[in-house]
Amino acid sequence: MVTMLKVRKKQAFTLVETLVVMSTTALIVMLAITYRPRDGGVKPQQFEEAFASVYASAKTRAQSKEQEQVINFNQDGMVDQGQILPYPNGYQIIKTKKIRISPSGFVSPQTISWQTGKVIWKLIIQFGGGSYRFTK
């Protein structure tokens, strides 16, 4: 008598199905990391402190290297030696400007302004040694 053996198929994921699931999961994780909500970004006080540090080091570089140093205020942020410091969230620069620091440390007086809503925030560089202040 011939008996037929029943072949039972094991149900499991195939290699292709596993790779599809893993790549989909990796894509979702990557998108979640890339597009996560920001934590508020730079605050005005943090920007003021960072500016103080950048400004002081640029003045020191100008005097020690005896070369003019330039700090750019572009649409994206403040740029010094290729390093970009973004403006506080919600603040847009009104007009792009450059602060030129002479080899003697002299900085010509000027005002750089940002706007957020109806509030205008200003960086005022005063005559002489280049002292400055922020005002709203």
Side-chain angles (χ1 to χ4, degrees):
M1 195 171 205
V2 178
T3 21
M4 293 195 149
L5 295 174
K6 288 186 177 180
V7 179
R8 298 180 91 188
K9 290 185 178 181
K10 292 183 179 181
Q11 293 187 355
F13 285 113
T14 65
L15 180 59
V16 172
E17 291 171 328
T18 303
L19 288 174
V20 167
V21 169
M22 289 179 68
S23 62
T24 304
T25 304
L27 178 66
I28 290 170
V29 169
M30 182 186 72
L31 290 173
I33 290 171
T34 304
Y35 294 108
R36 71 176 180 262
R38 301 290 183 228
D39 62 348
V42 178
K43 294 181 176 31
Q45 183 179 359
Q46 292 170 322
F47 182 82
E48 289 178 17
E49 291 167 1
F51 172 78
S53 174
V54 167
Y55 187 63
S57 74
K59 283 182 72 170
T60 303
R61 269 195 327 269
Q63 292 172 332
S64 65
K65 292 182 177 182
E66 296 182 358
Q67 290 181 330
E68 180 182 73
Q69 297 293 311
V70 178
I71 301 174
N72 291 307
F73 288 85
N74 300 331
Q75 293 292 36
D76 300 334
M78 180 180 73
V79 181
D80 179 49
Q81 292 191 318
Q83 299 291 320
I84 298 176
L85 175 67
Y87 303 132
N89 279 0
Y91 286 82
Q92 297 293 317
I93 195 158
I94 295 174
K95 182 180 178 187
T96 61
K97 291 207 176 183
K98 294 180 181 189
I99 295 176
R100 295 186 184 279
I101 304 168
S102 73
S104 66
F106 176 79
V107 181
S108 60
Q110 56 188 301
T111 302
I112 299 166
S113 303
W114 296 267
Q115 187 167 6
T116 179
K118 293 182 179 181
V119 176
I120 294 180
W121 186 45
K122 294 179 181 181
L123 165 60
I124 301 169
I125 298 177
Q126 299 166 338
F127 185 72
S131 60
Y132 66 89
R133 70 182 195 278
F134 283 92
T135 63
K136 283 191 180 181

